Amino acid sequence: MLGDAEIQALDDHLGNVLRENQQHHENLQGLLQQFHLLLDNYNRLKSDYEEEKEAREKYKKLARGQFKEHLVKAGVDGGTKAAQLLNDSIKELLNDQLGSQADQCRIMVRVYSNILGLSKTLARAGLVGNEARSLSPFASSFTRSQDLFDYIDAGDKKEGADYKIREMFRLFADNNQCKHIFFAGCHDAGYLSLLTPYRGKADRITLIKAASFHPEYDKLDLPVRELSAVFTSTSASPPVGGTNTAPATRPVCRHFQKGICRYGKDCTKLHVLPNQHFPKPLYDSPAQPSSLTVKLREQEYYSRFLPRVNSKPQEYIAINKDGERIDTYCPMPSQEEWEMYNKRSKRHKLCNKYHLGGECGNLSCEFDHSPIDSACLNVLMNLMRQHMCTRAAGCRSTKCYLGHHCQKDNCKGTKPCKFNRQGHTLDLQVAQWVISIEHEEESPVSEETSEANSVADPNNTLAFLMGDMNQM
């Protein structure tokens, strides 16, 4: 049996062990707290660093992406050349809108920039020298080369450029002497409020797309153009379509020309357009190898080239130089729009013919004909555009709500996409607008006459381009 002294010694030893364990636990808790504190500080510093790095790289990219690099490198000569190219490019855009009257316009250009900041960024990129304001020779020669061209140093305060751009825009927007405004500040969503009152006024305003373009500007329903000869373009060039000149050896399908042929590519008669002088194969051979696919097209590409819904009267259809139909731009629905559509369609499925085609001849139609909001309509249109029209690029019906070429982002042309190779390689440059089959007999007025009647007062003799070149 243990004695009292031994029992006391064991009790003291056990107490020491418990105290040591308690101290060890407290030390471990303190170490863990310090570790979590250091980890939080590290994550915060890392986040700050990544934000600073992203901002710096974005600014560097934007600074390099304004004028073509070879123009900036050329200094004085580059500024003169840039002004001349810009003048010529704007004249080309004016010719598309005004025809011969474009020659009467004098072109005014206002460029706003932080020359000191841009000089530093461009110097690090090796495009200019290391002097404090090494971009100044380029800017000065740009200003001198054209009477109404000005490259203005707005300083390092963004508000200075914003204020001038807004006031200059307001000055010319409602000026009858100003024929057209080309707005190049579309990198910054802050100018949306300035342009919103002019939504859809394609006869007054064109948006210029340079190194960056905020997607919200697409919602203004204004034409978007790139001046690729002057500014760096981030979009792929449109594919060049070929032509075939096979002789017509089969009878022409009149139902196809009216947009009502139900046999599609299986029709035994020839599918040619009323204004087409030679047949063009509208469908690909099933044996065509997939290796012939072209560079993938992104949403930005479709947004750039496809016409907007209200760019022409409803009875007109856009076609390219090969006589192939070009659809209007159908933007991808947002998550909120999808949720609204799904909620609505769960109650009662919508009638495609009624909401997209304008009418439904089925008196006993089981689908929903009640009014819908623009969000649901956008989703419904996007869904139906993913189904290929049997007439493909030869369709001339304004009541057709199906797709005539693919508009999916980076689509490879494989399943589940329903479009053939032509639907992914179609030249999307609008060559002309033709009257639809439904209105062909109603309106004998030619497209040229319609365009001529739409030209405004020839006394308006000023075209105006403005932009913030800090981030163009």
Side-chain angles (χ1 to χ4, degrees):
M1 179 178 294
L2 297 175
D4 293 341
E6 292 175 320
I7 293 175
Q8 184 64 40
L10 288 174
D11 184 64
D12 293 341
H13 183 65
L14 180 60
N16 291 334
V17 171
L18 291 174
R19 285 191 295 272
E20 290 177 358
N21 284 340
Q22 181 64 29
Q23 184 64 40
H24 176 72
H25 177 72
E26 293 175 355
N27 292 338
L28 182 60
Q29 290 298 319
L31 182 61
L32 288 174
Q33 289 179 0
Q34 293 181 16
F35 171 76
H36 286 300
L37 180 62
L38 289 173
L39 185 61
D40 290 341
N41 290 336
Y42 169 78
N43 288 332
R44 183 165 56 253
L45 291 173
K46 181 181 179 182
S47 177
D48 293 342
Y49 169 76
E50 292 296 337
E51 288 180 2
E52 180 66 25
K53 179 181 178 182
E54 182 180 357
R56 185 171 64 252
E57 291 300 321
K58 180 180 179 181
Y59 182 78
K60 180 178 178 180
K61 177 182 177 181
L62 293 174
R64 294 190 62 181
Q66 43 175 323
F67 286 107
K68 293 281 191 178
E69 291 189 1
H70 71 276
L71 296 174
V72 176
K73 285 182 177 181
V76 173
D77 293 337
T80 302
K81 183 65 173 177
Q84 183 60 52
L85 290 173
L86 187 56
N87 185 73
D88 295 343
S89 298
I90 295 175
K91 280 188 175 180
E92 290 181 5
L93 295 181
L94 286 174
N95 282 326
D96 293 340
Q97 294 188 2
L98 310 179
S100 60
Q101 293 189 16
D103 296 333
Q104 304 174 16
C105 287
R106 300 186 66 193
I107 299 173
M108 176 184 291
V109 174
R110 291 288 186 272
V111 179
Y112 299 94
S113 170
N114 174 11
I115 291 183
L116 180 61
L118 271 181
S119 297
K120 293 179 180 179
T121 303
L122 295 173
R124 287 194 293 268
L127 299 180
V128 296
N130 294 319
E131 300 83 3
R133 300 172 63 83
S134 51
L135 186 62
S136 294
F138 175 91
S140 299
S141 63
F142 180 92
T143 299
R144 290 193 305 266
S145 60
Q146 300 287 333
D147 292 341
L148 298 178
F149 279 36
D150 288 298
Y151 195 121
I152 301 165
D153 185 5
D156 59 354
K157 302 296 182 182
K158 183 179 184 298
E159 293 77 10
D162 286 349
Y163 176 77
K164 285 188 171 293
I165 289 176
R166 290 177 183 277
E167 292 306 313
M168 291 295 289
F169 180 88
R170 295 189 181 103
L171 177 64
F172 286 95
D174 300 318
N175 187 338
N176 291 331
Q177 291 299 313
C178 180
K179 176 69 73 174
H180 203 84
I181 293 178
F182 299 90
F183 187 82
C186 302
H187 62 282
D188 189 348
Y191 297 120
L192 284 168
S193 60
L194 179 67
L195 295 174
T196 298
Y198 301 90
R199 181 191 299 269
K201 294 188 177 181
D203 60 326
R204 292 288 295 154
I205 300 171
T206 294
L207 304 180
I208 299 299
K209 181 179 182 181
S212 62
F213 186 85
H214 199 286
E216 288 296 319
Y217 283 93
D218 285 325
K219 299 179 181 180
L220 296 177
D221 295 328
L222 294 172
V224 179
R225 299 290 182 267
E226 285 195 21
L227 305 182
S228 56
V230 188
F231 303 125
T232 302
S233 172
T234 58
S235 302
S237 299
V240 178
T243 57
N244 292 327
T245 56
T249 57
R250 291 178 291 166
V252 175
C253 178
R254 300 301 176 188
H255 295 290
F256 172 80
Q257 293 189 345
K258 295 180 180 179
I260 57 175
C261 179
R262 61 179 178 175
Y263 297 105
K265 62 181 179 180
D266 296 325
C267 182
T268 59
K269 296 184 179 181
L270 194 63
H271 284 189
V272 294
L273 309 177
N275 59 344
Q276 191 173 356
H277 301 295
F278 56 85
K280 183 178 176 65
L282 299 180
Y283 303 94
D284 294 324
S285 169
Q288 192 168 25
S290 59
S291 59
L292 294 179
T293 56
V294 296
K295 186 179 296 185
L296 301 183
R297 296 174 173 179
E298 300 177 345
Q299 276 294 308
E300 183 182 359
Y301 181 89
Y302 296 116
S303 174
R304 173 190 174 193
F305 285 103
L306 294 181
R308 297 306 191 264
V309 174
N310 62 348
S311 55
K312 278 286 181 178
Q314 185 179 0
E315 62 267 23
Y316 287 96
I317 293 175
I319 63 173
N320 63 17
K321 59 183 177 58
D322 297 316
E324 299 163 319
R325 176 169 180 166
I326 300 174
D327 285 333
T328 54
Y329 178 57
C330 186
M332 294 293 294
S334 64
Q335 183 63 33
E336 292 77 13
E337 289 176 327
W338 275 110
E339 292 175 356
M340 295 175 65
Y341 172 80
N342 290 331
K343 184 177 180 181
R344 174 67 183 269
S345 60
K346 284 181 180 179
R347 298 200 312 263
H348 193 176
K349 290 193 66 175
L350 300 172
C351 178
N352 301 329
K353 291 183 179 180
Y354 180 81
H355 292 293
L356 297 178
E359 59 182 0
C360 176
N362 186 0
L363 298 179
S364 59
C365 180
E366 61 182 6
F367 299 110
D368 190 358
H369 287 191
S370 59
I372 61 175
D373 53 33
S374 59
C376 292
L377 185 63
N378 184 37
V379 175
L380 186 63
M381 180 182 298
N382 188 273
L383 288 172
M384 299 312 300
R385 287 285 184 88
Q386 296 178 26
H387 295 268
M388 181 177 176
C389 172
T390 58
R391 299 180 297 275
C395 178
R396 292 296 182 269
S397 173
T398 53
K399 295 182 180 180
C400 180
Y401 47 80
L402 301 177
H404 304 89
H405 54 79
C406 185
Q407 291 193 43
K408 289 183 181 179
D409 189 36
N410 285 320
C411 183
K412 298 180 180 179
T414 57
K415 291 184 178 180
C417 182
K418 298 177 175 60
F419 291 91
N420 55 18
R421 181 175 180 271
Q422 185 202 24
H424 295 85
T425 60
L426 202 70
D427 184 353
L428 302 184
Q429 291 276 17
V430 178
Q432 61 176 315
W433 293 78
V434 297
I435 197 164
S436 67
I437 197 71
E438 291 89 355
H439 298 83
E440 195 171 44
E441 297 180 359
E442 299 176 8
S443 178
V445 181
S446 68
E447 175 69 8
E448 290 77 13
T449 303
S450 176
E451 287 288 346
N453 291 337
S454 67
V455 175
D457 183 357
N459 292 325
N460 300 334
T461 58
L462 182 67
F464 183 53
L465 180 141
M466 61 192 304
D468 179 356
M469 294 306 297
N470 280 327
Q471 298 188 43
M472 267 192 64

